[in-house]
Amino acid sequence: MPTPKNPIERLKAIPGLSAWVVSSRRTRREEIYFRRNETESRRSVENLGGRVDLFTTNGDRTGRGSFDIQAGDPAAFDRQIEKAMTLARLGSELPFPLAGKSEYGKVYLLDPEARDSLETMPSRARAAIQEGVGRTRDVRLAAAEVFVTKTNTAVINSAGAAAENDESSYFVEVVLMAGSGAGEQEHQARWRKRRFEDLDLATAVQREGERAIDRLSAVKPSAGATPVVFGPELLGDMIAFLVPLASGASAFRKDGALTIGEPIAELGADAGDPLIVELDALFPFGPLSYRIDALGTAGTNVRIIENGTFVRPHADAQFAHYLKLDRATGAPGTPQLPLGKLASADLRRDRYLEIVSVSDLVPSRGSGRFSAEIRLGYEVTGSTRRPVAGGTLTGNVFEVLSRARWSKEVSLHDRYVGPDLARVESGLTVVA
Amino acid sequence: MNRRTFLIQAGAGGAAILSSGAWLSAESGAAPALADRLATLVAELEIKFPYAFALYTRDESLTLEVSDDGNRLTTTGPNEGIVAGIWDGGMMREEATSMANDAGIRRLRDRLLAFPAPLSKSVDMDPGPPIVTDLTEAGRIPIDSRSLTRRLDDLASLRAAVTKRSPALAMVRLESLQGSSERLFVNRTRRLYQKLSRAGIGGVAMARKGSGRPGFLFIRHRGIGGLEHVELSGPVVDRWVERTERLAGALPPEAGEMTVVTEPNVTGVVAHESFGHGVELDMFVKGRARAAAFIDKPVGSAMVNITDDPTRAGAWGFYHFDDEGWTAAPTRIIENGIFRRGLSDSFSARASGLPRTANGRRESWDHKAYARMSNIFFEPGQQTREELIRGVTKGLLVGHFSSGIEDPKGWGMQVVCQYGEVIENGRLTGRVVAPVTLSGYVPDVLGSVDGVANDLELPPGTCGKGYKEFVPVSSGGPTIRFKARVS
């Protein structure tokens, strides 16, 4: 198999090549699928490969040609280089330098349990799922999938960058059923973590089982504007929408809804807690953490939103150069939001609608507006807590994030690190 | 369609590639040479297990992009590998490797043979009647009939022409796609090979009016074949530019239940989310689909006919056989408003006792097979789009879907669209709203269908199972009219 060391001598000998990046990737994944209590399938996947990016200087422009390295076929490597050079000569992007040698921070992304016992981890996850289901009466497991992956990645480029990293990931999806006959209700949940212990799976499944039971008595929510409390699922969706809009590529092309130096939403007195978003590639066991990105830039931390204003984009080597930024910050790291001043219990006060999950949040790229079907929520008035489902929640991501007040409890969630809960007083409406 | 006994030509040099544009066809996979070795692997595994199979997949693509930044050529893949599986009478065990060579095959064999033998070999799995095929789809105008240089020039010219059409356009990015998907399936009776060429064109435009939020509109045309799919007609471009301009500063729609007229790409997503995912039979055997209780019962108005057809020539979800070696054939899911049958893979057909359909699909060698859609569509009717609009007192014309989500158990559905235009008294008013979310209870939505036009289209898309397992599909139909909740 070509490794990052082998092809480099080949690349150095190619005339007309101005820069290159070679990465290798070794992945091993164990999967288990079950329906009810029966195992439907078990799978093991081994992926040995990598990627090569070649750059040529074409007049005052640069071109790039790339291909995936295929293990076990060294002859294909030479053929692919030839094709990639052909493609690179046709490109006409503005030139940019690759990141050179750097200090690569220590980032912990590999679960020792996945490292040492990969093959047994799906069965442990299964046992934890079954324990969680067993804790809630009248809930049944319809189906579940568990994937456990460990990966070694190495990146080397022609400017001197070189680093490798080991990481692991767990993906767990469960489908629970409550009730029977025509009133039977389904409730789905999924988790992604780097460490088994961060899943806390039996407890998480128990919580979802209780939600499955709540769906049995859910009614349509009341229509109209309402204060809304929401947790990691909805907040994760919103952060996942915001981060790409704050990229160097989008800032350079001016094709996003955000402008550097301007607030993401004009709210005046309606603003909530200060909105601060940082991307930290070195956050331990963070979902998007890494040590070195695909072009060779070292993982780092960058603050993209400060007090509700888009202060600087995250940018890889290419767009950092185009935008004349002081440094490239690489691929976006793990989003971090600050803790708030109020406890979750204080955010859950008076009257509000608590959203647990919506069907799918797909905001408009231009306006940030969204409308999503409510899968499960709770209408709360004082001590009365009523499950609701159906109807749609409408609002604007930029305004919601700018109006939100954050809980002071923070955790490592599936897509960010930060508040467990948020509350907005206005700007969200339920259409029943 | 092209049928060849020997598909793979030796690699060409870079200069030859540049002059011919044969970027993909010059580098082919190892499939034909692998067939004998995979057959040997299957035979070795079946000494111990009742059933075994092997599947080799290879996928790659090249995207040519032209924008203000210049030309960018981006590749994915080649992603190739082998998955081999054994069925022990109770469950399927699979081993997969990216090493598509003898060493990789040996590893698969050794790992699978290490599993304990089943208690009984009397339980078999139907391998299907014997078939050997060797099929390729290169399209009407092969990709390599036009050089990459020429295609980049054509794309740049088209982009310049689009940009000139409106001063409000602040950004136009165009891209052309070419790719290929190879599949080699082997079991004890079958040796099936197919190579599908993929091609398409798409883009995104952004318009600004004053300091308001910009309007964005994406378009995408794709199909199995060649350069015949890399065309944007004048009327399509005109409509794209006009709608992008109108979306700048567009307000959200008036919320509530109303009559909507959906263009073919939105109609397709309605079919996909209502009676596509909801009738994938693995959902039946897991007790996750309400449709399981409605076989041969009405689920929509008599105007509703929905079919899944992987043999639909040129459509993005086309294939000759599925990833479990089952020969492709259409499945009529809803017939005149009556739910007839669902879509299955081998597991769900066996577990449910319902008929096997050719819908066992994988994202690639390193993913599991599930029951999946191919080309799903509302069948066309007799009316025209204009007639449907004329019949609306107050409602919305909705187009350009951006996402959809299913709820097979609750029979909810949600389709998010980039573009809506208000209809009043049978006429389009030019008042644009966005984004538009359509939702509703599936039987109510399908039961309210009261108009089906004759303008069938099969737009391309990518379908996930839950939030992963992405496969190419098309979801289409004609313009239709129904009632839904708009927000």
Side-chain angles (χ1 to χ4, degrees), chain A residues 234-352:
Chain A
L234 196 55
L235 185 50
D237 283 342
M238 292 183 184
I239 296 297
F241 168 73
L242 179 71
V243 169
L245 295 180
S247 71
S250 192
F252 179 73
R253 293 168 172 159
K254 297 183 172 60
D255 66 0
L258 305 182
T259 304
I260 297 173
E262 294 188 5
I264 66 167
E266 297 286 356
L267 295 176
D270 272 354
D273 288 341
L275 175 65
I276 297 169
V277 181
E278 292 186 357
L279 304 175
D280 186 357
L282 301 179
F283 192 91
F285 302 106
L288 296 178
S289 297
Y290 61 87
R291 194 157 177 247
I292 184 168
D293 81 355
L295 287 178
T297 302
T300 185
N301 180 299
V302 57
R303 180 171 289 195
I304 57 172
I305 309 282
E306 187 164 342
N307 295 329
T309 295
F310 176 32
V311 289
R312 71 167 286 160
H314 59 87
D316 64 12
Q318 180 175 17
F319 288 97
H321 182 74
Y322 295 172
L323 291 166
K324 298 183 170 56
L325 300 177
D326 58 334
R327 63 186 174 120
T329 55
T334 299
Q336 270 190 283
L337 277 74
L339 52 83
K341 292 177 182 165
L342 296 174
S344 293
D346 294 322
L347 293 177
R348 288 189 173 108
R349 68 179 193 283
D350 305 328
R351 183 183 69 86
Y352 60 92

Side-chain angles (χ1 to χ4, degrees), chain B residues 36 39 43 58 134 264 268 299 315 356 438:
Chain B
D36 288 342
R58 177 187 169 100
D134 201 338
V299 292
R356 175 77 163 93
L438 306 178

Side-chain angles (χ1 to χ4, degrees), chain B residues 34-350:
Chain B
L34 275 174
D36 288 342
R37 283 175 278 179
L38 295 185
T40 302
L41 169 66
V42 166
E44 288 173 331
L45 294 171
E46 288 197 340
I47 292 170
K48 185 170 182 180
F49 301 100
Y51 177 80
F53 76 90
L55 174 75
Y56 163 84
T57 76
R58 177 187 169 100
D59 298 281
E60 62 182 324
S61 71
L62 166 65
T63 302
L64 317 180
E65 178 191 303
V66 295
S67 69
D68 280 339
D69 306 357
N71 301 337
R72 177 187 288 225
L73 295 90
T74 310
T75 59
T76 62
N79 174 23
E80 71 175 346
I82 302 170
V83 55
I86 52 168
W87 188 61
D88 65 6
M91 64 180 264
M92 185 68 80
R93 286 186 182 271
E94 293 183 355
E95 292 281 337
T97 180
S98 59
M99 296 180 67
N101 58 13
D102 286 337
I105 292 170
R106 277 196 302 274
R107 286 163 84 147
L108 298 181
R109 182 196 62 197
D110 293 347
R111 286 187 183 140
L112 288 168
L113 286 175
F115 290 117
L119 295 176
S120 165
K121 272 196 71 183
S122 62
V123 188
D124 201 359
M125 181 185 284
D126 178 13
I131 302 178
V132 175
T133 62
D134 201 338
L135 301 158
T136 187
E137 297 292 336
R140 191 163 46 83
I141 312 172
I143 287 285
D144 57 8
S145 65
R146 203 172 297 163
S147 73
L148 288 173
T149 309
R150 163 88 187 279
R151 289 179 47 213
L152 275 167
D153 289 345
D154 290 348
L155 209 56
S157 300
L158 177 59
R159 178 176 173 272
V162 172
T163 305
K164 277 184 191 162
R165 295 199 187 199
S166 168
L169 289 181
M171 184 273 293
V172 175
R173 196 156 61 238
L174 278 179
E175 62 181 36
S176 162
L177 169 92
Q178 66 187 82
S180 71
S181 298
E182 286 180 81
R183 296 289 186 271
L184 169 65
F185 178 87
V186 177
N187 70 10
R188 95 178 69 116
T189 58
R190 299 190 163 198
R191 190 180 292 205
L192 314 174
Y193 176 75
Q194 65 183 2
K195 181 175 183 178
L196 309 178
S197 288
R198 300 184 178 278
I201 188 168
V204 56
M206 180 183 75
R208 287 190 186 275
K209 285 180 189 165
S211 59
R213 294 286 191 189
F216 283 91
L217 198 58
F218 294 82
I219 59 166
R220 187 161 73 162
H221 295 267
R222 288 180 174 182
I224 298 294
L227 292 173
E228 65 272 21
H229 297 296
V230 189
E231 303 269 332
L232 282 182
S233 67
V236 168
V237 171
D238 288 343
R239 195 170 71 169
W240 180 32
V241 171
E242 180 188 34
R243 289 185 169 185
T244 305
E245 282 183 301
R246 288 174 165 188
L247 282 168
L251 297 173
E254 184 182 328
E257 186 176 272
M258 67 181 73
T259 300
V260 294
V261 176
T262 56
E263 294 183 339
N265 67 81
V266 178
T267 302
V269 181
V270 171
H272 185 109
E273 305 300 349
S274 63
F275 266 79
H277 282 299
V279 298
E280 291 166 340
L281 290 187
D282 56 328
M283 306 298 269
F284 282 32
V285 299
K286 291 167 182 166
R288 299 187 57 192
R290 187 161 292 184
F294 283 80
I295 295 175
D296 293 330
K297 292 180 181 171
V299 292
S301 85
M303 302 178 91
V304 175
N305 290 284
I306 295 179
T307 291
D308 182 89
D309 185 1
T311 69
R312 198 85 186 180
W316 193 235
F318 171 92
Y319 47 83
H320 292 288
F321 57 87
D322 73 6
D323 293 333
E324 296 178 311
W326 210 259
T327 305
T331 303
R332 201 159 201 213
I333 299 169
I334 298 181
E335 194 171 49
N336 302 324
I338 310 293
F339 171 46
R340 293 300 186 196
R341 60 191 294 197
L343 309 174
S344 62
D345 61 347
S346 62
F347 157 73
S348 61
R350 194 174 60 249

Side-chain angles (χ1 to χ4, degrees), chain A residues 360-420:
Chain A
D360 197 16
L361 191 82
V362 187
S364 160
R365 181 180 164 87
S367 66
R369 285 193 203 105
F370 67 87
S371 178
E373 187 184 22
I374 298 168
R375 283 281 168 93
L376 180 64
Y378 297 92
E379 282 184 351
V380 182
T381 307
S383 59
T384 305
R385 185 175 171 86
R386 181 175 74 154
V388 295
T392 53
L393 181 74
T394 68
N396 183 301
V397 169
F398 304 126
E399 293 175 11
V400 168
L401 290 174
S402 300
R403 286 192 169 115
R405 306 197 71 184
W406 315 114
S407 69
K408 66 182 180 185
E409 298 89 350
V410 294
S411 303
L412 171 60
H413 297 290
D414 283 14
R415 287 179 290 178
Y416 70 95
V417 179
D420 295 346

Side-chain angles (χ1 to χ4, degrees), chain A residues 64-118:
Chain A
R64 179 184 343 203
S66 310
F67 61 93
D68 285 356
I69 300 170
Q70 292 302 296
D73 189 3
F77 188 75
D78 283 340
R79 296 195 298 271
Q80 293 284 14
I81 284 178
E82 204 167 346
K83 291 198 304 188
M85 288 296 287
T86 300
L87 299 180
R89 291 188 187 108
L90 293 172
S92 62
E93 299 177 71
L94 293 167
F96 64 95
L98 295 172
K101 189 175 181 182
S102 178
E103 291 294 320
Y104 302 99
K106 191 86 176 162
V107 54
Y108 297 95
L109 300 174
L110 178 63
D111 179 14
E113 293 191 278
R115 181 193 60 207
D116 299 336
S117 314
L118 185 75

Side-chain angles (χ1 to χ4, degrees), chain B residues 367-437:
Chain B
H367 289 255
K368 181 183 177 294
Y370 295 85
R372 308 298 301 271
M373 285 168 267
S374 60
N375 304 302
I376 190 167
F377 53 95
F378 265 82
E379 294 176 20
Q382 303 297 319
Q383 296 165 282
T384 66
R385 164 191 159 107
E386 290 69 29
E387 286 170 347
L388 299 191
I389 292 171
R390 272 202 298 274
V392 178
T393 305
K394 186 176 182 188
L396 275 185
L397 173 73
V398 186
H400 303 272
F401 88 93
S402 56
S403 75
I405 195 83
E406 78 283 10
D407 179 15
K409 190 69 179 176
W411 255 354
M413 61 161 223
Q414 173 183 300
V415 182
V416 181
C417 306
Q418 301 176 66
Y419 184 88
E421 186 171 346
V422 175
I423 306 170
E424 283 179 356
N425 301 318
R427 291 173 183 273
L428 290 168
T429 62
R431 290 204 306 276
V432 170
V433 292
V436 177
T437 299

